[in-house]
Amino acid sequence: MPTAKEKKEEVKSHFKRLRSELRTIHLAVTDELKMPEADKIKELMQQMELLLSIIDPKSKKNKKK
């Protein structure tokens, strides 16, 4: 069972990774007028779901209902 500090660090690292990837996509869309690949969006959505399950483990159970 991870401690609160470990959980916080894990969440922070997920946020940093997501923010970086979203920034890259944003720059591609605004500067190059290039839409992101659908697979990239799906991957980011899965990472967000993982982050949500770390923050609130009960949310995954509620989603299935």
Short mmCIF file of all heavy atoms in Angstrom, two decimals:
data_model
loop_
_atom_site.label_atom_id
_atom_site.label_comp_id
_atom_site.label_asym_id
_atom_site.label_seq_id
_atom_site.Cartn_x
_atom_site.Cartn_y
_atom_site.Cartn_z
N MET A 1 0.85 -1.18 0.00
CA MET A 1 0.00 0.00 0.00
C MET A 1 0.89 1.24 0.00
O MET A 1 1.67 1.45 0.92
CB MET A 1 -0.88 -0.03 1.25
CG MET A 1 -1.95 0.99 1.24
SD MET A 1 -3.19 0.53 0.05
CE MET A 1 -4.59 1.32 0.65
N PRO A 2 0.78 2.05 -1.04
CA PRO A 2 1.62 3.24 -1.10
C PRO A 2 1.22 4.28 -0.05
O PRO A 2 0.04 4.42 0.28
CB PRO A 2 1.40 3.78 -2.50
CG PRO A 2 0.14 3.17 -2.98
CD PRO A 2 -0.05 1.90 -2.20
N THR A 3 2.22 4.98 0.43
CA THR A 3 1.94 6.04 1.40
C THR A 3 1.38 7.25 0.67
O THR A 3 1.42 7.33 -0.56
CB THR A 3 3.22 6.45 2.14
OG1 THR A 3 4.12 7.03 1.19
CG2 THR A 3 3.88 5.27 2.84
N ALA A 4 0.87 8.19 1.42
CA ALA A 4 0.30 9.41 0.83
C ALA A 4 1.36 10.18 0.06
O ALA A 4 1.10 10.71 -1.02
CB ALA A 4 -0.32 10.28 1.91
N LYS A 5 2.57 10.20 0.59
CA LYS A 5 3.66 10.92 -0.08
C LYS A 5 4.01 10.25 -1.41
O LYS A 5 4.22 10.93 -2.41
CB LYS A 5 4.88 10.97 0.83
CG LYS A 5 6.00 11.81 0.30
CD LYS A 5 7.14 11.92 1.28
CE LYS A 5 8.23 12.81 0.71
NZ LYS A 5 9.32 12.99 1.67
N GLU A 6 4.08 8.92 -1.42
CA GLU A 6 4.37 8.19 -2.66
C GLU A 6 3.27 8.39 -3.69
O GLU A 6 3.54 8.57 -4.88
CB GLU A 6 4.55 6.70 -2.37
CG GLU A 6 5.77 6.37 -1.56
CD GLU A 6 5.80 4.94 -1.09
OE1 GLU A 6 4.75 4.28 -1.01
OE2 GLU A 6 6.91 4.46 -0.79
N LYS A 7 2.04 8.37 -3.22
CA LYS A 7 0.90 8.57 -4.10
C LYS A 7 0.94 9.98 -4.72
O LYS A 7 0.70 10.16 -5.91
CB LYS A 7 -0.39 8.38 -3.31
CG LYS A 7 -1.62 8.17 -4.12
CD LYS A 7 -2.80 7.82 -3.21
CE LYS A 7 -4.02 7.51 -3.99
NZ LYS A 7 -5.15 7.17 -3.15
N LYS A 8 1.28 10.96 -3.88
CA LYS A 8 1.37 12.34 -4.35
C LYS A 8 2.45 12.48 -5.42
O LYS A 8 2.25 13.13 -6.44
CB LYS A 8 1.67 13.27 -3.17
CG LYS A 8 1.74 14.73 -3.55
CD LYS A 8 2.01 15.58 -2.32
CE LYS A 8 2.14 17.04 -2.69
NZ LYS A 8 2.38 17.89 -1.53
N GLU A 9 3.60 11.86 -5.20
CA GLU A 9 4.70 11.92 -6.16
C GLU A 9 4.31 11.23 -7.48
O GLU A 9 4.65 11.71 -8.56
CB GLU A 9 5.96 11.29 -5.59
CG GLU A 9 6.60 12.11 -4.50
CD GLU A 9 7.00 13.50 -4.95
OE1 GLU A 9 7.55 13.65 -6.05
OE2 GLU A 9 6.73 14.46 -4.19
N GLU A 10 3.61 10.13 -7.38
CA GLU A 10 3.15 9.42 -8.58
C GLU A 10 2.18 10.28 -9.39
O GLU A 10 2.28 10.37 -10.61
CB GLU A 10 2.49 8.10 -8.17
CG GLU A 10 2.12 7.22 -9.33
CD GLU A 10 1.53 5.90 -8.89
OE1 GLU A 10 1.41 5.63 -7.68
OE2 GLU A 10 1.15 5.12 -9.79
N VAL A 11 1.27 10.92 -8.70
CA VAL A 11 0.30 11.80 -9.36
C VAL A 11 1.02 12.98 -10.01
O VAL A 11 0.72 13.34 -11.15
CB VAL A 11 -0.77 12.28 -8.36
CG1 VAL A 11 -1.61 13.39 -8.94
CG2 VAL A 11 -1.66 11.11 -7.95
N LYS A 12 1.98 13.56 -9.31
CA LYS A 12 2.73 14.68 -9.86
C LYS A 12 3.48 14.28 -11.12
O LYS A 12 3.50 15.02 -12.11
CB LYS A 12 3.71 15.23 -8.82
CG LYS A 12 3.05 16.10 -7.77
CD LYS A 12 4.01 16.49 -6.66
CE LYS A 12 5.14 17.34 -7.11
NZ LYS A 12 5.98 17.83 -5.98
N SER A 13 4.08 13.10 -11.12
CA SER A 13 4.82 12.66 -12.30
C SER A 13 3.87 12.41 -13.47
O SER A 13 4.19 12.73 -14.62
CB SER A 13 5.65 11.42 -12.01
OG SER A 13 4.86 10.29 -11.83
N HIS A 14 2.68 11.86 -13.20
CA HIS A 14 1.68 11.67 -14.25
C HIS A 14 1.25 13.01 -14.83
O HIS A 14 1.14 13.17 -16.05
CB HIS A 14 0.45 10.93 -13.72
CG HIS A 14 0.60 9.45 -13.68
ND1 HIS A 14 0.51 8.65 -14.79
CD2 HIS A 14 0.83 8.62 -12.64
CE1 HIS A 14 0.68 7.40 -14.44
NE2 HIS A 14 0.88 7.34 -13.14
N PHE A 15 1.00 13.97 -13.95
CA PHE A 15 0.58 15.30 -14.41
C PHE A 15 1.67 15.95 -15.28
O PHE A 15 1.37 16.55 -16.30
CB PHE A 15 0.25 16.23 -13.24
CG PHE A 15 -1.18 16.17 -12.81
CD1 PHE A 15 -1.50 15.93 -11.49
CD2 PHE A 15 -2.21 16.39 -13.71
CE1 PHE A 15 -2.83 15.88 -11.08
CE2 PHE A 15 -3.53 16.36 -13.31
CZ PHE A 15 -3.84 16.09 -11.99
N LYS A 16 2.92 15.83 -14.87
CA LYS A 16 4.01 16.41 -15.64
C LYS A 16 4.08 15.80 -17.04
O LYS A 16 4.25 16.51 -18.03
CB LYS A 16 5.34 16.22 -14.92
CG LYS A 16 5.54 17.14 -13.75
CD LYS A 16 6.88 16.90 -13.10
CE LYS A 16 7.06 17.78 -11.88
NZ LYS A 16 8.36 17.56 -11.22
N ARG A 17 3.95 14.48 -17.10
CA ARG A 17 4.01 13.78 -18.39
C ARG A 17 2.83 14.19 -19.28
O ARG A 17 3.01 14.51 -20.46
CB ARG A 17 4.00 12.28 -18.15
CG ARG A 17 4.58 11.48 -19.27
CD ARG A 17 4.75 10.00 -18.95
NE ARG A 17 5.15 9.74 -17.58
CZ ARG A 17 4.43 9.02 -16.71
NH1 ARG A 17 3.29 8.49 -17.07
NH2 ARG A 17 4.85 8.81 -15.49
N LEU A 18 1.63 14.21 -18.71
CA LEU A 18 0.45 14.61 -19.48
C LEU A 18 0.55 16.05 -19.95
O LEU A 18 0.23 16.36 -21.10
CB LEU A 18 -0.82 14.44 -18.62
CG LEU A 18 -1.34 13.03 -18.44
CD1 LEU A 18 -2.44 13.01 -17.39
CD2 LEU A 18 -1.85 12.48 -19.75
N ARG A 19 0.99 16.92 -19.07
CA ARG A 19 1.11 18.33 -19.43
C ARG A 19 2.09 18.53 -20.59
O ARG A 19 1.84 19.28 -21.53
CB ARG A 19 1.57 19.13 -18.22
CG ARG A 19 1.59 20.60 -18.46
CD ARG A 19 1.91 21.32 -17.17
NE ARG A 19 1.81 22.75 -17.39
CZ ARG A 19 2.60 23.64 -16.83
NH1 ARG A 19 3.52 23.25 -15.98
NH2 ARG A 19 2.47 24.90 -17.09
N SER A 20 3.19 17.81 -20.55
CA SER A 20 4.18 17.90 -21.61
C SER A 20 3.61 17.42 -22.94
O SER A 20 3.78 18.06 -23.98
CB SER A 20 5.40 17.07 -21.23
OG SER A 20 6.31 17.02 -22.29
N GLU A 21 2.93 16.29 -22.91
CA GLU A 21 2.35 15.75 -24.14
C GLU A 21 1.25 16.66 -24.68
O GLU A 21 1.15 16.87 -25.89
CB GLU A 21 1.83 14.34 -23.89
CG GLU A 21 2.95 13.34 -23.67
CD GLU A 21 2.46 11.92 -23.51
OE1 GLU A 21 1.49 11.54 -24.19
OE2 GLU A 21 3.06 11.20 -22.70
N LEU A 22 0.43 17.19 -23.79
CA LEU A 22 -0.63 18.10 -24.24
C LEU A 22 -0.05 19.39 -24.80
O LEU A 22 -0.58 19.94 -25.77
CB LEU A 22 -1.61 18.38 -23.10
CG LEU A 22 -2.51 17.22 -22.71
CD1 LEU A 22 -3.24 17.53 -21.41
CD2 LEU A 22 -3.49 16.90 -23.82
N ARG A 23 1.02 19.87 -24.21
CA ARG A 23 1.68 21.08 -24.71
C ARG A 23 2.20 20.83 -26.13
O ARG A 23 2.06 21.68 -27.02
CB ARG A 23 2.82 21.50 -23.79
CG ARG A 23 3.47 22.80 -24.23
CD ARG A 23 4.60 23.23 -23.31
NE ARG A 23 4.06 23.61 -22.01
CZ ARG A 23 4.48 23.11 -20.85
NH1 ARG A 23 5.42 22.21 -20.82
NH2 ARG A 23 3.95 23.51 -19.71
N THR A 24 2.80 19.66 -26.36
CA THR A 24 3.30 19.30 -27.68
C THR A 24 2.17 19.27 -28.70
O THR A 24 2.30 19.81 -29.81
CB THR A 24 4.00 17.94 -27.64
OG1 THR A 24 5.06 17.99 -26.67
CG2 THR A 24 4.56 17.56 -28.98
N ILE A 25 1.05 18.67 -28.33
CA ILE A 25 -0.10 18.60 -29.23
C ILE A 25 -0.64 20.00 -29.50
O ILE A 25 -0.95 20.34 -30.64
CB ILE A 25 -1.20 17.69 -28.64
CG1 ILE A 25 -0.74 16.24 -28.69
CG2 ILE A 25 -2.52 17.86 -29.39
CD1 ILE A 25 -1.66 15.27 -27.98
N HIS A 26 -0.73 20.81 -28.47
CA HIS A 26 -1.24 22.18 -28.63
C HIS A 26 -0.38 22.97 -29.60
O HIS A 26 -0.89 23.67 -30.48
CB HIS A 26 -1.31 22.87 -27.27
CG HIS A 26 -1.75 24.28 -27.36
ND1 HIS A 26 -0.86 25.32 -27.32
CD2 HIS A 26 -2.99 24.83 -27.49
CE1 HIS A 26 -1.53 26.46 -27.44
NE2 HIS A 26 -2.81 26.19 -27.53
N LEU A 27 0.93 22.87 -29.45
CA LEU A 27 1.83 23.59 -30.34
C LEU A 27 1.70 23.11 -31.78
O LEU A 27 1.72 23.92 -32.71
CB LEU A 27 3.28 23.45 -29.87
CG LEU A 27 3.63 24.21 -28.60
CD1 LEU A 27 5.05 23.86 -28.16
CD2 LEU A 27 3.48 25.70 -28.80
N ALA A 28 1.54 21.82 -31.97
CA ALA A 28 1.37 21.28 -33.32
C ALA A 28 0.08 21.80 -33.95
O ALA A 28 0.04 22.15 -35.13
CB ALA A 28 1.36 19.76 -33.29
N VAL A 29 -0.98 21.87 -33.16
CA VAL A 29 -2.27 22.34 -33.67
C VAL A 29 -2.21 23.84 -33.98
O VAL A 29 -2.65 24.27 -35.05
CB VAL A 29 -3.41 22.03 -32.67
CG1 VAL A 29 -4.69 22.73 -33.07
CG2 VAL A 29 -3.64 20.53 -32.58
N THR A 30 -1.66 24.62 -33.08
CA THR A 30 -1.67 26.08 -33.27
C THR A 30 -0.61 26.57 -34.26
O THR A 30 -0.89 27.44 -35.07
CB THR A 30 -1.50 26.82 -31.94
OG1 THR A 30 -0.30 26.38 -31.32
CG2 THR A 30 -2.68 26.59 -31.03
N ASP A 31 0.58 26.02 -34.19
CA ASP A 31 1.66 26.50 -35.04
C ASP A 31 1.66 25.86 -36.43
O ASP A 31 1.82 26.54 -37.43
CB ASP A 31 3.03 26.26 -34.39
CG ASP A 31 3.23 27.09 -33.14
OD1 ASP A 31 2.45 28.06 -32.94
OD2 ASP A 31 4.14 26.78 -32.37
N GLU A 32 1.49 24.56 -36.46
CA GLU A 32 1.59 23.84 -37.72
C GLU A 32 0.23 23.54 -38.35
O GLU A 32 0.18 22.97 -39.44
CB GLU A 32 2.35 22.53 -37.50
CG GLU A 32 3.74 22.73 -36.92
CD GLU A 32 4.36 21.44 -36.42
OE1 GLU A 32 3.87 20.35 -36.77
OE2 GLU A 32 5.35 21.53 -35.67
N LEU A 33 -0.84 23.90 -37.64
CA LEU A 33 -2.21 23.60 -38.10
C LEU A 33 -2.36 22.12 -38.44
O LEU A 33 -2.94 21.74 -39.44
CB LEU A 33 -2.58 24.47 -39.30
CG LEU A 33 -2.53 25.98 -39.05
CD1 LEU A 33 -2.81 26.73 -40.33
CD2 LEU A 33 -3.48 26.39 -37.95
N LYS A 34 -1.81 21.30 -37.56
CA LYS A 34 -1.78 19.85 -37.76
C LYS A 34 -2.56 19.17 -36.64
O LYS A 34 -2.28 19.38 -35.46
CB LYS A 34 -0.32 19.41 -37.75
CG LYS A 34 -0.07 17.98 -38.02
CD LYS A 34 1.45 17.75 -38.05
CE LYS A 34 1.79 16.30 -38.00
NZ LYS A 34 3.23 16.09 -37.94
N MET A 35 -3.54 18.37 -37.01
CA MET A 35 -4.35 17.66 -36.02
C MET A 35 -3.58 16.45 -35.47
O MET A 35 -2.84 15.80 -36.21
CB MET A 35 -5.67 17.19 -36.63
CG MET A 35 -6.59 18.33 -37.02
SD MET A 35 -7.00 19.41 -35.64
CE MET A 35 -8.03 18.36 -34.67
N PRO A 36 -3.77 16.15 -34.19
CA PRO A 36 -3.06 15.00 -33.60
C PRO A 36 -3.63 13.67 -34.10
O PRO A 36 -4.79 13.59 -34.53
CB PRO A 36 -3.31 15.16 -32.10
CG PRO A 36 -4.54 15.98 -32.00
CD PRO A 36 -4.58 16.86 -33.21
N GLU A 37 -2.81 12.67 -34.04
CA GLU A 37 -3.24 11.31 -34.40
C GLU A 37 -4.28 10.82 -33.39
O GLU A 37 -4.19 11.12 -32.20
CB GLU A 37 -2.04 10.36 -34.38
CG GLU A 37 -0.97 10.70 -35.38
CD GLU A 37 -1.38 10.36 -36.80
OE1 GLU A 37 -2.09 9.36 -36.99
OE2 GLU A 37 -0.98 11.11 -37.71
N ALA A 38 -5.24 10.07 -33.88
CA ALA A 38 -6.28 9.53 -32.99
C ALA A 38 -5.69 8.62 -31.93
O ALA A 38 -6.14 8.62 -30.77
CB ALA A 38 -7.32 8.77 -33.81
N ASP A 39 -4.68 7.85 -32.29
CA ASP A 39 -4.04 6.96 -31.32
C ASP A 39 -3.40 7.74 -30.17
O ASP A 39 -3.43 7.30 -29.02
CB ASP A 39 -2.98 6.10 -32.00
CG ASP A 39 -3.57 5.07 -32.95
OD1 ASP A 39 -4.78 4.77 -32.81
OD2 ASP A 39 -2.83 4.58 -33.83
N LYS A 40 -2.85 8.89 -30.50
CA LYS A 40 -2.21 9.73 -29.47
C LYS A 40 -3.25 10.24 -28.48
O LYS A 40 -3.03 10.25 -27.27
CB LYS A 40 -1.48 10.90 -30.14
CG LYS A 40 -0.66 11.72 -29.20
CD LYS A 40 0.51 10.94 -28.68
CE LYS A 40 1.41 11.83 -27.86
NZ LYS A 40 2.44 11.07 -27.20
N ILE A 41 -4.41 10.64 -29.01
CA ILE A 41 -5.48 11.12 -28.14
C ILE A 41 -6.00 9.99 -27.25
O ILE A 41 -6.21 10.19 -26.04
CB ILE A 41 -6.64 11.72 -28.99
CG1 ILE A 41 -6.15 12.90 -29.82
CG2 ILE A 41 -7.82 12.11 -28.10
CD1 ILE A 41 -5.60 14.05 -29.01
N LYS A 42 -6.16 8.81 -27.82
CA LYS A 42 -6.62 7.65 -27.03
C LYS A 42 -5.62 7.33 -25.93
O LYS A 42 -6.01 7.02 -24.80
CB LYS A 42 -6.82 6.44 -27.93
CG LYS A 42 -8.03 6.54 -28.81
CD LYS A 42 -8.17 5.31 -29.69
CE LYS A 42 -9.33 5.45 -30.65
NZ LYS A 42 -9.44 4.28 -31.54
N GLU A 43 -4.34 7.40 -26.24
CA GLU A 43 -3.29 7.13 -25.26
C GLU A 43 -3.35 8.14 -24.11
O GLU A 43 -3.27 7.77 -22.93
CB GLU A 43 -1.92 7.21 -25.94
CG GLU A 43 -0.77 6.96 -25.01
CD GLU A 43 0.57 7.15 -25.72
OE1 GLU A 43 0.67 6.82 -26.91
OE2 GLU A 43 1.50 7.64 -25.05
N LEU A 44 -3.54 9.41 -24.44
CA LEU A 44 -3.65 10.43 -23.40
C LEU A 44 -4.89 10.23 -22.54
O LEU A 44 -4.85 10.42 -21.32
CB LEU A 44 -3.66 11.83 -24.02
CG LEU A 44 -2.34 12.31 -24.59
CD1 LEU A 44 -2.52 13.61 -25.36
CD2 LEU A 44 -1.32 12.49 -23.49
N MET A 45 -5.99 9.83 -23.17
CA MET A 45 -7.21 9.57 -22.41
C MET A 45 -7.01 8.40 -21.45
O MET A 45 -7.47 8.44 -20.30
CB MET A 45 -8.37 9.30 -23.36
CG MET A 45 -8.82 10.55 -24.09
SD MET A 45 -10.07 10.25 -25.34
CE MET A 45 -11.43 9.65 -24.37
N GLN A 46 -6.30 7.36 -21.87
CA GLN A 46 -6.01 6.23 -20.99
C GLN A 46 -5.13 6.66 -19.83
O GLN A 46 -5.34 6.23 -18.69
CB GLN A 46 -5.33 5.11 -21.78
CG GLN A 46 -6.25 4.39 -22.73
CD GLN A 46 -5.51 3.40 -23.61
OE1 GLN A 46 -4.29 3.43 -23.73
NE2 GLN A 46 -6.27 2.50 -24.23
N GLN A 47 -4.16 7.54 -20.11
CA GLN A 47 -3.30 8.04 -19.04
C GLN A 47 -4.11 8.86 -18.04
O GLN A 47 -3.86 8.79 -16.84
CB GLN A 47 -2.17 8.87 -19.62
CG GLN A 47 -1.15 8.06 -20.37
CD GLN A 47 -0.06 8.91 -20.97
OE1 GLN A 47 0.13 10.06 -20.60
NE2 GLN A 47 0.67 8.34 -21.92
N MET A 48 -5.08 9.62 -18.53
CA MET A 48 -5.93 10.40 -17.63
C MET A 48 -6.81 9.48 -16.78
O MET A 48 -7.03 9.75 -15.60
CB MET A 48 -6.78 11.38 -18.43
CG MET A 48 -6.00 12.52 -18.99
SD MET A 48 -7.07 13.61 -19.91
CE MET A 48 -5.97 14.94 -20.28
N GLU A 49 -7.30 8.40 -17.38
CA GLU A 49 -8.09 7.43 -16.62
C GLU A 49 -7.24 6.80 -15.53
O GLU A 49 -7.70 6.61 -14.40
CB GLU A 49 -8.64 6.35 -17.55
CG GLU A 49 -9.75 6.81 -18.46
CD GLU A 49 -11.03 7.15 -17.71
OE1 GLU A 49 -11.31 6.55 -16.65
OE2 GLU A 49 -11.76 8.02 -18.20
N LEU A 50 -5.99 6.48 -15.85
CA LEU A 50 -5.08 5.91 -14.86
C LEU A 50 -4.85 6.90 -13.72
O LEU A 50 -4.88 6.53 -12.55
CB LEU A 50 -3.75 5.55 -15.52
CG LEU A 50 -2.67 5.03 -14.59
CD1 LEU A 50 -3.09 3.72 -13.93
CD2 LEU A 50 -1.37 4.84 -15.36
N LEU A 51 -4.65 8.14 -14.08
CA LEU A 51 -4.46 9.18 -13.07
C LEU A 51 -5.68 9.30 -12.17
O LEU A 51 -5.57 9.39 -10.95
CB LEU A 51 -4.16 10.52 -13.74
CG LEU A 51 -3.85 11.70 -12.85
CD1 LEU A 51 -2.63 11.41 -11.99
CD2 LEU A 51 -3.62 12.93 -13.69
N LEU A 52 -6.85 9.27 -12.77
CA LEU A 52 -8.08 9.34 -11.99
C LEU A 52 -8.20 8.14 -11.05
O LEU A 52 -8.62 8.29 -9.90
CB LEU A 52 -9.29 9.41 -12.91
CG LEU A 52 -10.65 9.53 -12.24
CD1 LEU A 52 -10.72 10.80 -11.39
CD2 LEU A 52 -11.75 9.53 -13.28
N SER A 53 -7.81 6.96 -11.51
CA SER A 53 -7.89 5.78 -10.65
C SER A 53 -6.90 5.87 -9.49
O SER A 53 -7.15 5.31 -8.42
CB SER A 53 -7.65 4.50 -11.45
OG SER A 53 -6.31 4.40 -11.87
N ILE A 54 -5.80 6.57 -9.69
CA ILE A 54 -4.83 6.75 -8.59
C ILE A 54 -5.39 7.75 -7.57
O ILE A 54 -5.31 7.52 -6.38
CB ILE A 54 -3.48 7.25 -9.13
CG1 ILE A 54 -2.82 6.16 -9.97
CG2 ILE A 54 -2.56 7.68 -8.00
CD1 ILE A 54 -1.62 6.63 -10.75
N ILE A 55 -5.96 8.83 -8.09
CA ILE A 55 -6.48 9.88 -7.21
C ILE A 55 -7.71 9.40 -6.45
O ILE A 55 -7.84 9.62 -5.26
CB ILE A 55 -6.83 11.15 -8.02
CG1 ILE A 55 -5.55 11.76 -8.59
CG2 ILE A 55 -7.55 12.17 -7.15
CD1 ILE A 55 -5.80 12.87 -9.57
N ASP A 56 -8.62 8.76 -7.17
CA ASP A 56 -9.88 8.31 -6.57
C ASP A 56 -10.19 6.89 -7.04
O ASP A 56 -10.86 6.70 -8.05
CB ASP A 56 -11.01 9.26 -6.97
CG ASP A 56 -12.31 8.95 -6.27
OD1 ASP A 56 -12.30 8.19 -5.28
OD2 ASP A 56 -13.34 9.47 -6.72
N PRO A 57 -9.69 5.88 -6.33
CA PRO A 57 -9.88 4.49 -6.74
C PRO A 57 -11.36 4.09 -6.88
O PRO A 57 -11.69 3.22 -7.66
CB PRO A 57 -9.20 3.68 -5.64
CG PRO A 57 -8.35 4.62 -4.90
CD PRO A 57 -8.92 5.98 -5.09
N LYS A 58 -12.24 4.75 -6.15
CA LYS A 58 -13.66 4.41 -6.21
C LYS A 58 -14.30 4.86 -7.52
O LYS A 58 -15.33 4.32 -7.92
CB LYS A 58 -14.41 5.03 -5.03
CG LYS A 58 -13.98 4.47 -3.70
CD LYS A 58 -14.71 5.16 -2.57
CE LYS A 58 -14.20 4.65 -1.23
NZ LYS A 58 -14.86 5.32 -0.12
N SER A 59 -13.71 5.84 -8.18
CA SER A 59 -14.31 6.37 -9.42
C SER A 59 -14.36 5.31 -10.51
O SER A 59 -15.26 5.29 -11.32
CB SER A 59 -13.54 7.58 -9.91
OG SER A 59 -12.25 7.21 -10.33
N LYS A 60 -13.40 4.42 -10.54
CA LYS A 60 -13.37 3.36 -11.56
C LYS A 60 -14.55 2.41 -11.34
O LYS A 60 -15.18 1.97 -12.28
CB LYS A 60 -12.05 2.60 -11.50
CG LYS A 60 -11.85 1.68 -12.66
CD LYS A 60 -10.45 1.09 -12.66
CE LYS A 60 -10.24 0.28 -13.91
NZ LYS A 60 -8.90 -0.29 -13.98
N LYS A 61 -14.84 2.11 -10.08
CA LYS A 61 -15.96 1.23 -9.77
C LYS A 61 -17.29 1.89 -10.16
O LYS A 61 -18.18 1.25 -10.68
CB LYS A 61 -15.98 0.89 -8.29
CG LYS A 61 -14.81 0.03 -7.87
CD LYS A 61 -14.81 -0.21 -6.37
CE LYS A 61 -13.56 -0.94 -5.93
NZ LYS A 61 -13.47 -1.08 -4.49
N ASN A 62 -17.42 3.19 -9.90
CA ASN A 62 -18.64 3.91 -10.23
C ASN A 62 -18.85 4.02 -11.74
O ASN A 62 -19.96 4.03 -12.21
CB ASN A 62 -18.63 5.32 -9.62
CG ASN A 62 -18.73 5.29 -8.13
OD1 ASN A 62 -19.20 4.31 -7.55
ND2 ASN A 62 -18.27 6.34 -7.48
N LYS A 63 -17.78 4.10 -12.50
CA LYS A 63 -17.86 4.24 -13.94
C LYS A 63 -18.44 3.00 -14.58
O LYS A 63 -19.16 3.07 -15.57
CB LYS A 63 -16.47 4.53 -14.51
CG LYS A 63 -16.50 4.85 -15.97
CD LYS A 63 -15.13 5.19 -16.48
CE LYS A 63 -15.22 5.49 -17.96
NZ LYS A 63 -13.93 5.80 -18.54
N LYS A 64 -18.15 1.83 -14.04
CA LYS A 64 -18.61 0.56 -14.61
C LYS A 64 -20.11 0.35 -14.43
O LYS A 64 -20.73 -0.41 -15.12
CB LYS A 64 -17.85 -0.62 -14.00
CG LYS A 64 -16.42 -0.66 -14.46
CD LYS A 64 -15.72 -1.89 -13.91
CE LYS A 64 -14.30 -1.94 -14.41
NZ LYS A 64 -13.60 -3.13 -13.91
N LYS A 65 -20.72 1.03 -13.46
CA LYS A 65 -22.15 0.84 -13.18
C LYS A 65 -23.02 1.41 -14.25
O LYS A 65 -22.80 2.15 -15.05
CB LYS A 65 -22.51 1.49 -11.84
CG LYS A 65 -21.97 0.68 -10.69
CD LYS A 65 -22.42 1.30 -9.40
CE LYS A 65 -21.91 0.47 -8.23
NZ LYS A 65 -22.29 1.00 -6.97
#
